[in-house]
Amino acid sequence: MRLTLDEYAKHFKMSKEMINSKLRAKKLNYIIENGVTYIIVTRSSLEPEKRETIHKEKKEQQVQQKTKTQTINAPAKPKTTVSMVISLYQKENLQLKQKIMQLEEKIDKLIDDKEQMLRDEMARIEQVYSKKDEHLKNILELINTKLTLEKENALIHDVEAITQQPKQENKIIELKEYLRNLEIESGHRKMIKKRFLNAYGSDIRVIKQNGKIYLNLSKYDYSDLLN
């Protein structure tokens, strides 16, 4: 069994100076390995308890030495360098760009879908209003036709009223001739003619035939239009 100077001093309770003195005097057997001095001790010279203690310590030292060797031989963790940090940031930046592009594509699709919905809604509204406009146009045409027929019926009524009373022709007189007989001024005659023309169609007393206005003095009173 071999012991280092510290182990020998501990177990044999001797100072290192005394051990070195005995080594110089060659009173102790020793060997030197890798610059470390080991003292050779025979097992018979040690007490059983001391041998057991030394054995345990030796075993613990071997375990510690093995652990230390494994720790030294273990691959060292790579050190973080500037290039590694830049590479990491570039990778994260690329991932963020890809996410942004995906979000932009989703947003564009949502906008396109919304615009298409609006276009469809506008087309539907235009179609509804187009149908309503067509319906309104038909109604207006119907009203216009009805008014035209009423005017034509009124004209026929006026003509019939004239033609059905041949014995009373002397009582139906043209407005122009009647005004000439009144001997009134030209400006006043024009004003009265305009008044009769405006009343035609809404006043049954005013009769028009061949573009001329006639008065039925035997049937109607025209004082409000003549004054």
Side-chain angles (χ1 to χ4, degrees), residues 13-68:
K13 301 184 186 311
M14 295 175 63
S15 65
K16 289 184 179 182
E17 289 79 6
M18 185 177 292
I19 294 172
N20 287 325
S21 177
K22 287 187 176 186
L23 289 174
R24 286 192 297 271
K26 297 183 179 182
K27 292 181 179 181
L28 295 174
N29 294 327
Y30 67 92
I31 60 174
I32 299 175
E33 289 184 1
N34 298 326
V36 180
T37 302
Y38 294 97
I39 299 173
I40 306 302
V41 180
T42 58
R43 293 181 180 274
S44 59
S45 63
L46 297 174
E47 296 176 358
E49 293 181 358
K50 188 174 290 187
R51 286 201 305 269
E52 185 67 23
T53 301
I54 293 172
H55 180 70
K56 287 182 179 181
E57 289 180 355
K58 284 284 185 182
K59 194 172 183 179
E60 289 177 359
Q61 287 179 359
Q62 290 176 358
V63 172
Q64 290 176 358
Q65 186 67 25
K66 186 177 181 181
T67 303
K68 186 176 180 181

Side-chain angles (χ1 to χ4, degrees), residues 75-158:
K77 293 182 179 180
K79 294 183 179 180
T80 303
T81 61
V82 175
S83 60
M84 292 175 63
V85 173
I86 293 174
S87 176
L88 179 61
Y89 277 117
Q90 288 177 344
K91 184 177 179 181
E92 292 180 350
N93 190 31
L94 180 61
Q95 292 175 350
L96 289 174
K97 285 183 178 179
Q98 292 175 349
K99 290 182 178 179
I100 291 171
M101 291 176 63
Q102 292 174 356
L103 289 174
E104 288 178 348
E105 290 176 357
K106 290 181 179 179
I107 291 171
D108 291 340
K109 187 176 184 304
L110 289 173
I111 292 173
D112 292 340
D113 292 343
K114 187 67 175 178
E115 289 179 351
Q116 185 61 42
M117 289 175 61
L118 290 174
R119 286 193 291 267
D120 294 342
E121 184 66 16
M122 288 178 64
R124 187 185 67 81
I125 293 172
E126 288 177 356
Q127 186 177 7
V128 171
Y129 276 98
S130 177
K131 291 181 179 179
K132 288 185 177 180
D133 290 343
E134 187 68 24
H135 183 62
L136 180 60
K137 183 180 179 181
N138 293 335
I139 293 174
L140 291 175
E141 288 180 353
L142 181 62
I143 293 173
N144 187 38
T145 303
K146 185 176 180 182
L147 291 175
T148 303
L149 290 174
E150 289 179 353
K151 286 183 179 181
E152 291 177 354
N153 290 335
L155 179 60
I156 293 171
H157 174 73
D158 293 343

Side-chain angles (χ1 to χ4, degrees), residues 204-221:
I204 61 173
R205 298 175 300 169
V206 180
I207 302 169
K208 189 176 183 181
Q209 186 178 10
N210 298 327
K212 297 179 180 181
I213 301 296
Y214 291 86
L215 308 180
N216 190 345
L217 298 174
S218 63
K219 187 176 181 180
Y220 300 113
D221 178 19

